[in-house]
Amino acid sequence: MTLSYASGVSKTPLLGDTIGANLDRTVELHPDRDALVEYATDRRWTYARFAADVDAVALGLHARGIRKGDRVGIWAPNCAEWMLVQYATAKLGAILVTINPSYRVHELEFVLNQAGVRTLVSATVFKTSDYAGMVEQVRPRCKALTDVLLIGTPAWEELLRAGRAADPEVLAEIGAGLSADDPINIQYTSGTTGFPKGATLSHHNILNNGYFVGELCGYDEEDRICVPVPFYHCFGMVMGNLAATSHGSCVVIPAPGFDARATLQAAASERCTSLYGVPTMFIAVLNEPSLGSADLSGLRTGIMAGSPCPVEVMKQVIDRLGMGEVTICYGMTETSPVSTQTRADDTLDRRVSTVGTVHPHLEVKVVDPVTGVTVPRGTPGELCTRGYSVMLGYWEEPDKTAEVIDAARWMHTGDLAVMDGDGYVNITGRIKDMVIRGGENVYPREIEEFLYTHPDIVDAQVIGVPDERYGEELMAWVRLRDGAEALTPEALRKFCDGQLARYKIPRYVHIVQEFPMTITGKVRKVQMRAEAVDILGLADAAATKHA
């Protein structure tokens, strides 16, 4: 019997340097190559110019009193300044607190106070968000906050001027006192219930994870990575930015927020070789009317991650976008984020139906959620990760850290998984997403994958809703293709009949234009369940108590 355990053997050693030192090495090798392109404004940075501006921001922050260990918040959509602040704080040893751009006053105040943010770099406005106005609202209630810098204002320009006039040797002295194991980033996990927790990550955590993501994507100085996913999240700032700068590649920002048309235009115009996205983003790109006229011949690879990747969508990304070497990554903020990834030389079946094998220098195992014992391969259980990528802990919350990281330093992901005989992992759902219908354990992912085969369904999400008889019943929320006729529960049941066990066939169907989403493109199933109670009139069933 082979157990569901695997370790990532690699001939390539881990990086032992800091983010700043790693960037400096890349600049020495590729000073004249593109480092960053902001497509919407046509602003461009070579590595030499990028490094100069990073140092200016770092020295400007230093002149304003920022020192090693101080928390600097960044609250803005994707822009060049976001990336400059990311690397500038790393050079100072300051801890970058990445704040979700969709937060509002209540959430912003919580994060600023919980992390003890001293300086906040913020956008002024974006779409309907008045960032400057919200900052002024919370500022009197944030005791640690002493400095606010609004991007694009005279204060920001003054920061750059002060940094350019400062002694560059200061950064060299600071760098000599930094350790790769220092905390460098606090990322707040999406709090679907209660307040979010701040996953605290080190240089070593995120630099190595970005580097090995890039290694498995085959990046070098010729690659140009289109990054429409948000920088505030690991997908953007680690798998995008750090994967790029550790390989001399170029980051292309298509727009401040996700826009399918802008993403296509940027990927085509900038001859991008790689494209990132969560499944919902790729679905939007595949359904964008301008797709047929976009020259995407430069694309060869990319990453789909962030939430379960539908097999049918993955196949279309390969066939219609020409991303023959596209990979799927699996991970979570607390693990920097990637734990498993498919490889370019994996079979098509492996690349479209699994999240790959363990990442270099990491360990993964699948355990019984109750006993914690590692289960045999082919048996479902909870996926756990151990190694360099596991966070230092939740910021100032040791009790919550202990709930997810055990005494042997295994991170318990809360995700249900199966490891096959060759070590490939398939994510079958979340432990808390599992639906128990009349004593049968139902995993929504399996049903969702089947619903994707319906010719009129573009996207599908399955949730459990209260039921007085069975405890829970299944409800499918679906998005239909343009021009499709309304899909009735009866029609869907007929489609599923004979293909799925009866207890897996959704009783309810709800047609939507879009799903409730987090900023990172993850579907908020907690919100869907709450709305479903009202939509279906299930208040009485919801009030029924079960053992």
Side-chain angles (χ1 to χ4, degrees):
M1 178 183 69
T2 303
L3 293 177
S4 297
Y5 168 86
S7 60
V9 178
S10 176
K11 294 180 180 179
T12 305
L14 287 166
L15 302 176
D17 46 8
T18 63
I19 291 169
N22 185 263
L23 174 63
D24 289 344
R25 184 178 303 111
T26 298
V27 174
E28 289 179 9
L29 293 171
H30 310 291
D32 299 323
R33 299 199 72 91
D34 285 347
L36 172 62
V37 173
E38 191 178 82
Y39 179 74
T41 62
D42 198 32
R43 294 192 294 167
R44 298 169 182 272
W45 283 258
T46 62
Y47 267 99
R49 183 190 169 196
F50 181 73
D53 282 357
V54 164
D55 288 357
V57 173
L59 289 167
L61 289 170
H62 186 266
R64 298 173 83 99
I66 293 298
R67 299 293 184 268
K68 178 182 176 180
D70 286 342
R71 272 76 71 204
V72 176
I74 177 78
W75 192 36
N78 286 12
C79 61
E81 288 81 5
W82 205 111
M83 195 168 167
L84 293 173
V85 171
Q86 176 185 350
Y87 288 82
T89 50
K91 284 206 163 189
L92 291 175
I95 300 174
L96 183 68
V97 180
T98 54
I99 304 173
N100 187 328
S102 70
Y103 277 0
R104 292 299 178 260
V105 172
H106 182 61
E107 299 149 316
L108 174 65
E109 181 180 344
F110 170 79
V111 167
L112 293 176
N113 281 321
Q114 206 277 329
V117 170
R118 177 174 176 175
T119 293
L120 176 64
V121 179
S122 173
T124 53
V125 295
F126 178 63
K127 293 184 177 178
T128 61
S129 297
D130 178 7
Y131 290 106
M134 287 186 279
V135 170
E136 287 308 305
Q137 277 186 260
V138 305
R139 195 169 184 176
R141 301 191 294 275
C142 298
K143 295 181 180 179
L145 186 63
T146 59
D147 199 8
V148 174
L149 290 162
L150 299 178
I151 295 169
T153 65
W156 177 258
E157 296 305 319
E158 176 54 35
L159 174 87
L160 291 172
R161 281 194 295 271
R164 289 175 181 135
D167 182 359
E169 289 302 312
V170 170
L171 282 182
E173 294 172 6
I174 293 171
L178 301 182
S179 165
D181 294 319
D182 292 334
I184 202 64
N185 179 214
I186 299 174
Q187 295 202 25
Y188 281 84
T189 59
S190 300
T192 52
T193 58
F195 284 111
K197 301 179 290 292
T200 307
L201 305 169
S202 67
H203 294 268
H204 195 65
N205 288 148
I206 60 178
L207 175 59
N208 275 291
N209 205 256
Y211 174 69
F212 280 102
V213 165
E215 285 289 283
L216 296 188
C217 286
Y219 289 156
D220 61 22
E221 67 274 13
E222 300 290 338
D223 280 292
R224 302 173 70 81
I225 310 167
C226 187
V227 184
V229 294
F231 284 168
Y232 103 90
H233 187 265
C234 272
F235 201 167
M237 70 168 288
V238 178
M239 299 157 69
N241 298 349
L242 286 169
T245 59
S246 60
H247 289 86
S249 309
C250 175
V251 171
V252 176
I253 305 172
F258 174 68
D259 179 279
R261 180 180 290 269
T263 299
L264 277 173
Q265 291 174 340
S269 179
E270 294 298 326
R271 302 296 298 164
C272 290
T273 59
S274 178
L275 173 61
Y276 287 6
V278 298
T280 51
M281 291 180 178
F282 278 109
I283 289 169
V285 168
L286 289 165
N287 285 278
E288 167 57 41
S290 62
L291 174 60
S293 60
D295 180 4
L296 301 177
S297 58
L299 286 178
R300 66 169 182 85
T301 189
I303 296 173
M304 190 188 298
S307 60
C309 304
V311 172
E312 292 302 315
V313 175
M314 186 68 170
K315 288 179 179 177
Q316 288 190 53
V317 166
I318 293 171
D319 294 340
R320 297 176 59 198
L321 301 184
M323 295 166 58
E325 298 177 24
V326 66
T327 69
I328 284 180
C329 290
Y330 162 80
M332 60 193 307
T333 302
E334 291 88 339
T335 55
S336 301
V338 178
S339 296
T340 69
Q341 185 173 353
T342 59
R343 274 61 166 176
D345 59 355
D346 283 338
T347 64
L348 179 62
D349 180 62
R350 297 285 200 195
R351 287 193 291 133
V352 301
S353 62
T354 77
V355 293
T357 53
V358 63
H359 235 235
H361 301 286
L362 296 179
E363 300 170 273
V364 295
K365 66 177 180 177
V366 180
V367 303
D368 184 302
V370 177
T371 66
V373 173
T374 304
V375 299
R377 294 199 177 186
T379 305
E382 182 184 15
L383 186 65
C384 299
T385 298
R386 182 167 67 179
Y388 77 82
S389 69
V390 175
M391 67 175 178
L392 301 178
Y394 292 123
W395 183 258
E396 296 188 341
E397 294 191 282
D399 292 343
K400 290 185 177 178
T401 301
E403 291 175 4
V404 295
I405 301 177
D406 65 26
R409 289 293 294 172
W410 285 99
M411 176 75 204
H412 291 251
T413 68
D415 285 322
L416 293 165
V418 176
M419 182 184 294
D420 72 13
D422 295 318
Y424 287 83
V425 175
N426 182 256
I427 304 299
T428 58
R430 291 284 295 170
I431 289 176
K432 63 184 179 183
D433 282 346
M434 184 178 70
V435 178
I436 304 177
R437 181 191 181 277
E440 296 279 3
N441 292 348
V442 182
Y443 301 105
R445 175 74 189 279
E446 177 188 0
I447 303 168
E448 290 163 359
E449 290 287 0
F450 176 73
L451 294 182
Y452 278 113
T453 66
H454 191 290
D456 288 341
I457 293 178
V458 172
D459 202 355
Q461 298 292 328
V462 174
I463 59 172
V465 296
D467 185 80
E468 291 180 343
R469 180 179 180 185
Y470 293 106
E472 287 185 288
E473 262 292 5
L474 294 171
M475 180 183 188
W477 289 42
V478 299
R479 288 177 52 221
L480 301 179
R481 64 172 177 80
D482 292 342
E485 295 183 4
L487 186 65
T488 65
E490 293 75 19
L492 186 65
R493 281 197 290 271
K494 184 176 181 181
F495 179 76
C496 297
D497 191 37
Q499 303 297 317
L500 294 176
R502 288 189 179 276
Y503 69 87
K504 296 179 183 178
I505 298 176
R507 178 177 178 181
Y508 306 105
V509 177
H510 182 47
I511 309 299
V512 295
Q513 296 298 314
E514 58 185 20
F515 303 118
M517 294 284 188
T518 67
I519 188 67
T520 55
K522 293 183 179 180
V523 176
R524 294 178 61 90
K525 288 195 172 182
V526 170
Q527 182 179 337
M528 290 167 59
R529 281 189 283 266
E531 292 181 8
V533 170
D534 292 332
I535 293 169
L536 301 174
L538 299 175
D540 289 344
T544 302
K545 294 184 178 181
H546 299 276

